[in-house]
Amino acid sequence: MAPDAAARPTRAELRLAAREQSRAQRRGAAKAATRTALLRVALPSVAALGVAAAAAVTVQGEADQQRAQAAGRTQRAADAPDTAAAQAAAVHAVAAGAPAQASRGDARQPLAGSQPTDAPAEAPTAQPTAEPAPEPVKPKVVMPVARHGLGEVFGEAGTHWANRHTGIDFPVDGGSEVYAVADGTLRTQWNPFYGYMTIIKMSDGTEAWYCHLRAYKVRKGPVKQGDVVAFVGSSGNSTGPHLHFEIRPPGSGPIDPLPWFLSNGLDPR
């Protein structure tokens, strides 16, 4: 036999080798299929385990939180008697003159007045005060006759008066017009010393007396400043025509009319 012929495998050896190779291939394919199946089963199992583990963790966390809350309530319930006891001890300590010591429970108590309120504090009610009575309006004044110039002045002594002269005299002609020096209410009367008289009461209560008149133009009622109310004469205790003029404040006797005129911006001299 030739050497090359002896080296070649026989048909039986080739068939045996082919069978072994086929078996090896089948075994490899079976192993690969087994690994694939294991992976297909294992992966969903791992996912399920992850979800289950997460749920377990969640449930465990909620259980721990509930246990912590229950423990907190138990602790607060345990602290309550301590707080009441501490407050009672603080009251006794203050009553005894000792400084009160704060406890853990005191720290949780709100300070008085620290909470805001919706209602504002009431403002103190102002006590009503009596308003002062309004002062009388000072009347405007004009001259009682058209011509300036004075004869007898206030306070002079003489044989014509019992004591002193109680007004000022305007030496004007008989029949001269006499004017209301201010707005007011007029009345008339007769006096043996003053003769025919006109009296005007002003808004502030001051009275102006016109004396020794000849006649009246207005006998009573309201008059306006500057109205003609009478005429100059020489009635009563008089030595000749002139206007005797007096000023009498409320509740007072006669005063000097000259300063009164001057205070109103008039100078009758």
Side-chain angles (χ1 to χ4, degrees):
M1 183 180 294
D4 293 336
R8 283 197 299 268
T10 63
R11 289 181 180 178
E13 291 175 343
L14 288 174
R15 284 196 296 271
L16 180 60
R19 283 197 296 271
E20 290 295 332
Q21 183 176 5
S22 177
R23 288 194 190 102
Q25 288 177 351
R26 286 196 298 273
R27 283 196 298 271
K31 288 180 181 181
T34 301
R35 285 197 297 272
T36 301
L38 288 176
L39 285 175
R40 288 177 180 174
V41 173
L43 286 177
S45 299
V46 170
L49 285 175
V51 172
V57 169
T58 302
V59 171
Q60 182 64 30
E62 291 179 354
D64 293 341
Q65 184 176 4
Q66 291 177 356
R67 282 196 297 273
Q69 290 177 352
R73 287 195 295 270
T74 304
Q75 182 62 34
R76 285 196 296 272
D79 288 344
D82 295 341
T83 301
Q87 290 178 349
V91 171
H92 288 300
V94 170
Q101 183 175 1
S103 66
R104 288 183 302 169
D106 292 337
R108 291 193 292 269
Q109 300 301 321
L111 296 177
S114 62
Q115 299 298 323
T117 58
D118 294 334
E122 279 191 21
T125 304
Q127 296 298 323
T129 57
E131 295 184 359
E135 295 184 1
V137 178
K138 190 174 183 180
K140 295 180 180 180
V141 175
V142 297
M143 290 285 292
V145 291
R147 192 171 71 189
H148 289 226
L150 298 179
E152 304 295 339
V153 295
F154 183 82
E156 283 194 14
T159 58
H160 299 289
W161 313 289
N163 294 307
R164 298 278 179 176
H165 195 222
T166 54
I168 55 177
D169 291 344
F170 292 88
V172 292
D173 297 334
S176 299
E177 293 180 337
V178 175
Y179 307 113
V181 293
D183 296 351
T185 303
L186 179 148
R187 72 180 189 272
T188 59
Q189 66 186 48
W190 164 262
N191 182 282
F193 300 99
Y194 288 110
Y196 294 110
M197 297 174 58
T198 290
I199 300 171
I200 297 177
K201 188 172 185 178
M202 306 174 210
S203 59
D204 63 350
T206 301
E207 290 186 344
W209 287 21
Y210 303 80
C211 306
H212 308 305
L213 301 174
R214 174 185 293 181
Y216 307 122
K217 184 171 184 180
V218 180
R219 286 190 174 269
K220 65 179 179 179
V223 292
K224 293 294 185 181
Q225 178 194 80
D227 287 352
V228 177
V229 295
F231 302 95
V232 174
S234 185
S235 60
N237 185 13
S238 173
T239 59
H242 70 283
L243 174 65
H244 177 84
F245 182 85
E246 292 186 7
I247 284 294
R248 294 180 179 243
S252 172
I255 63 171
D256 188 355
L258 181 58
W260 184 81
F261 277 115
L262 295 174
S263 68
N264 284 280
L266 295 175
D267 188 351
R269 293 172 295 187

